[in-house]
Amino acid sequence: MAFNIASSPHTHSRRSTSDIMRTVILCTALGVAAQWFFFGWGTLIQVLLASVVAVTSEAAIMKFRKRPALPYIRDNSALLTGVLLSISLPPLAPWWITVIGVVFAIVIAKHLYGGLGQNLFNPAMVAYVVLLISFPVQMTTWLPPLSLSAESASLTDSLLAIFTGFTQDGFSVHQLRLSVDGVTMATPLDTLKTSLTTGLTTTEAMAKPVFGTFAGVGWEWINLGFLLGGLIMLKMRVIQWHIPVGMLGALFVISSVAFLLNPDGTASPLFHLFSGATMLGAFFIATDPVSAATTVKGRIIFGALIGVLIYLIRTWGGFPDGVAFSVLLANMCVPLIDYYTRPRTYGHS
């Protein structure tokens, strides 16, 4: 009987890496479906495009490394990276944005460190941050929800907008961003942040049509979809509870304290929990077993650190949402967190 030594990620279940990755991908379906329902066909097109590019990039880099490509493609890790990055992008982002991002995630953020189990940072979030810094205009061109949009984009229109920049009727992506009132709409996080800097109160800012019951129109349901998908993964023991609870708990506590102290100048805890990429980050990104902390206490601290950083970046940072930056900053702290939270050796006092 052979004894094999392998790098992380390690799992105590009998499931293979391929099965775990596939389960995670399937559990994103609820959130992706909600995103498609509220923002149109572009979401599904981006997922399909990113998946093809991810698998192709994985095969190409393994060919370059003189290793058989099929076993690495079948572990579904590249496919998961492509899916996570694609649902973080604006639905009608140009095709080359998706291609550059996915290639960077697979080739640089993953294989430059040695491949699965060796990367220090979450590949999808590394690529997202690189795209956001390099192409801020394209990465912030989110459409208004279909119910508030002046021009809806069909499947054909979405394909043409992504690959040519214009719909079949000649509308540009900028024109598709107009609401029924003729106003170019931003995401709820960006709208609230901008409104507060202009002197409006939280109540006045959230009277705008882009906001729903307690968060943004559509975003409430998207986050709820990812929350349900995350709970399914917890039920199936694909992930553990420590990081999501640490992250969401810290975000809830710090936003609650700020809201109690200044309700007119800060968003409510529910707004923070169900806006942007909060639930996607808590269950599908921060829980990456390779780049997250490994000890029980360390995972709770790791998640809490992400939650605090998200609030700080959303409130005082230069970007509306801070999930990607927070995850990467927390990834940098993993060696230190693991060092100070490692369990005491049995027999030592």
Side-chain angles (χ1 to χ4, degrees):
M1 182 176 63
F3 179 74
N4 295 321
I5 299 177
S7 62
S8 59
H10 304 295
T11 176
H12 295 287
S13 70
R14 295 180 179 273
R15 294 181 176 177
S16 64
T17 300
S18 174
D19 184 41
I20 293 173
M21 299 291 178
R22 183 168 54 250
T23 302
V24 175
I25 293 171
L26 292 175
C27 286
T28 65
L30 292 172
V32 172
Q35 197 164 316
W36 162 74
F37 181 82
F38 285 99
F39 292 99
W41 289 99
T43 297
L44 300 185
I45 297 171
Q46 297 289 2
V47 170
L48 180 60
L49 175 60
S51 299
V52 172
V53 175
V55 172
T56 304
S57 300
E58 183 85 352
I61 196 67
M62 297 318 300
K63 180 77 172 177
F64 178 79
R65 295 177 63 183
K66 297 182 169 58
R67 296 185 180 181
L70 196 56
Y72 293 91
I73 293 174
R74 285 179 173 172
D75 69 17
N76 293 319
S77 61
L79 184 61
L80 177 59
T81 297
V83 170
L84 292 178
L85 178 60
S86 65
I87 56 183
S88 303
L89 301 177
L92 296 187
W95 64 270
W96 49 268
I97 286 284
T98 306
V99 172
I100 292 174
V102 173
V103 171
F104 190 93
I106 300 298
V107 177
I108 305 298
K110 179 182 177 182
H111 283 286
L112 189 64
Y113 290 93
L116 181 64
Q118 305 293 329
N119 49 285
L120 301 178
F121 302 97
N122 184 287
M125 291 301 95
V126 172
Y128 179 85
V129 168
V130 167
L131 291 174
L132 185 61
I133 295 173
S134 303
F135 311 103
V137 174
Q138 290 81 4
M139 288 293 291
T140 54
T141 53
W142 280 89
L143 301 179
L146 295 179
S147 59
L148 302 177
S149 179
E151 297 290 340
S152 60
S154 64
L155 174 59
T156 303
D157 288 332
S158 299
L159 280 168
L160 290 173
I162 291 171
F163 288 98
T164 68
F166 296 91
T167 67
Q168 55 186 344
D169 293 326
F171 291 107
S172 66
V173 175
H174 175 73
Q175 291 172 313
L176 293 175
R177 293 184 66 197
L178 297 177
S179 69
V180 291
D181 297 325
V183 178
T184 300
M185 301 195 71
T187 61
L189 281 168
D190 195 12
T191 301
L192 179 61
K193 192 169 188 175
T194 303
S195 298
L196 293 177
T197 59
T198 60
L200 296 179
T201 65
T202 303
T203 303
E204 292 170 339
M206 294 193 68
K208 296 181 179 181
V210 71
F211 297 101
T213 306
F214 50 83
V217 173
W219 291 100
E220 302 166 333
W221 293 98
I222 292 170
N223 275 276
L224 182 59
F226 287 123
L227 170 60
L228 293 176
L231 293 177
I232 292 172
M233 289 195 296
L234 286 173
K235 178 68 174 177
M236 299 177 66
R237 298 186 178 182
V238 173
I239 61 173
Q240 295 180 313
W241 61 267
H242 310 92
I243 293 176
V245 169
M247 173 181 156
L248 297 178
L251 180 59
F252 178 80
V253 169
I254 190 172
S255 59
S256 296
V257 172
F259 188 69
L260 289 173
L261 295 176
N262 184 20
D264 291 332
T266 57
S268 69
L270 281 178
F271 179 84
H272 280 287
L273 290 176
F274 290 90
S275 293
T278 301
M279 294 299 173
L280 175 65
F283 292 98
F284 295 91
I285 294 173
T287 54
D288 173 22
V290 178
S291 56
T294 57
T295 65
V296 173
K297 291 181 182 178
R299 287 193 290 265
I300 296 175
I301 295 172
F302 175 79
L305 177 61
I306 294 174
V308 171
L309 288 172
I310 289 173
Y311 181 82
L312 295 177
I313 293 172
R314 285 179 176 179
T315 305
W316 292 289
F319 295 93
D321 200 355
V323 173
F325 290 98
S326 300
V327 170
L328 295 182
L329 289 171
N331 288 158
M332 295 173 62
C333 300
V334 164
L336 188 65
I337 294 172
D338 282 344
Y339 178 81
Y340 283 105
T341 60
R342 58 187 177 183
R344 186 178 299 274
T345 304
Y346 182 76
H348 286 220
S349 58

